Amino acid sequence: MAGNVTPLAAIHRLLGARFTEFGGWEMPVQYTGIIDEHLAVRQRCGLFDLSHMGEVEIRGPMALEFVQEVLSNDVLKLTPGRVQYSLLCNEMGGILDDLLVYRHQDYVTLVVNASNTDKDLDWLRQVALRPRYQGKVEILNVGEERAILAVQGPLAPKVMQVVGLDVLDLPYMAFRLLGRQGELMVSRTGYTGEVGYELYLPAADAVTWWERFMGVKESIGIQPVGLGARDTLRLEMGYTLYGNDIDETTNPWEAGIGWAVKLDKEFIGREALLQTKAQGLQRCLVGFRVDGRGIARPGYPVQVSDELKGEVTSGCISPSLDKAIGLAYLDHTCAEEGTLLEVIVRGKAVAAQIVSLPFVPSRVRDVVDS
Amino acid sequence: MSVPANLRYADSHEWVKMEDDGVIVGVTDYAQSEMGDIVFAELPPVGAEYEKGEGMAVIESVKAVSDIYAPVGGTVIAVNEALVDSPELVNDDCYGDGWLVKLSLPEKVELDELLSPEEYEAQIEA
């Protein structure tokens, strides 16, 4: 399925974007340069096309019960208009995907990773075949007729105000339906660590909204940002990325996302995860900063006092810190903050140390003046 | 993309400049542009010997690692120390201050195998 393009592909090309294949989609990886785009989001505002991400609606009289059974977090604690991070697990407790749950009055929207959309849909439809859900749950793949934009950075609230989107009172992890028919879903969410918003809209409106946002380029300062900077921004926050830091074999507690697993409710994978939790942590996902000369990359071995203790899962240069940073799974006995590490870069040991996450202070909950 | 007429090229996107006592090697405008923001350069020690096509340096952008291959065989007689602190010189001036390595004079036959500016231009346009 490689080669899916978003409704904004022609605009990206005109803006001089460089493209990359991601999750079966041709997506802009950068426009002016990853560092420039990264710093723009930290200092001003960035506009992202995230239309590759999957959007699945769960409807029907048993939608909520269904979601409660397939997801690890407690969706009953979620009031309409709120967003929750959750894991989709199989019976073995393997993480099929990590996703956002949007609870509406009488249905639920799941926003899933592009590379997992087909797998997630297969699994959700399989569970929906169980007798108790027959005729009572509908799984709708709405992603193909929708586009997703993100507006992220300290000036994002100002941008939203100027384009006429009434969202400044939204707290973090809340959303609202806007537009004449409520066709525009806007949430105060993001993957950058900044104050920001994500917009889910009909694909036919994508160009109009993109141009409306780019229209404030001169007055406020907003610029397009590709997936390259999206990755460096999320890594500075220590946010995990499915496919890098998480996969079907991941123990959620080892990955630091155990808070999204509520063992006091019934859900698919709970039995297996109870056992996993009881076994304790063998390894831990930690953040580290490289102090020597070199950049840690996924797959590089990590040593403590000359002994192999783990492996890097994400790594890049942090444009904010101008230092190499990364995430690595380390043996639980040496996962303490301050532990000195050696990352093996092309056969050479490079000094690094475990630091607390996030690498850069998160501003997602900053209060917005309306 | 700039492809200076006074240089020769390898199909792995290095350029070669002839001097009296050796050849200067760097990466082309096309290569630096494809890599994006360059944030790290690992250069070989002076005195190291490489055969044509052997990896002799590594350049890293924010997200990717790229090997730089010896476009001709030779001994390293100088490296661009300025890249240690300012790897972005490769982006800013890839044919000048962003040069990588100086190799001893290679065999004439290897020089003749390099691409002309026209041939290289045709390759990157393909």
Side-chain angles (χ1 to χ4, degrees), chain A residues 18 29-30 33-36 227-228 231-232 293-295 297 300 315-317 319 345-346 348, chain B residues 1 33-43 58 60-65 67 83-85:
Chain A
R18 188 177 304 286
V29 63
Q30 66 164 67
I34 294 176
I35 295 174
D36 180 65
L227 293 189
D231 191 45
T232 54
R293 257 183 64 73
I295 302 172
R297 303 289 184 181
Y300 287 9
C316 71
I317 279 274
V345 179
R346 294 180 286 279
K348 269 179 276 183
Chain B
M1 291 297 155
S33 152
E34 283 293 305
M35 282 185 263
D37 295 325
I38 289 164
V39 292
F40 185 79
E42 187 175 289
L43 300 174
V58 173
E60 300 198 41
S61 63
V62 179
K63 285 203 69 184
V65 182
D67 287 310
L83 299 184
V84 173
D85 289 325

Side-chain angles (χ1 to χ4, degrees), chain A residues 103-147:
Chain A
R103 181 163 175 196
H104 304 260
Q105 214 44 261
D106 54 357
Y107 70 100
V108 171
T109 303
L110 306 180
V111 178
V112 306
N113 281 298
S115 51
N116 291 334
T117 307
D118 291 345
K119 180 177 76 169
D120 295 353
L121 280 167
D122 284 350
W123 174 242
L124 292 169
R125 288 183 173 135
Q126 201 180 319
V127 177
L129 288 176
R130 294 181 184 181
R132 58 189 297 239
Y133 296 123
Q134 286 288 319
K136 297 187 177 119
V137 171
E138 248 189 306
I139 315 284
L140 301 168
N141 178 16
V142 296
E144 281 160 24
E145 63 222 48
R146 309 272 286 172

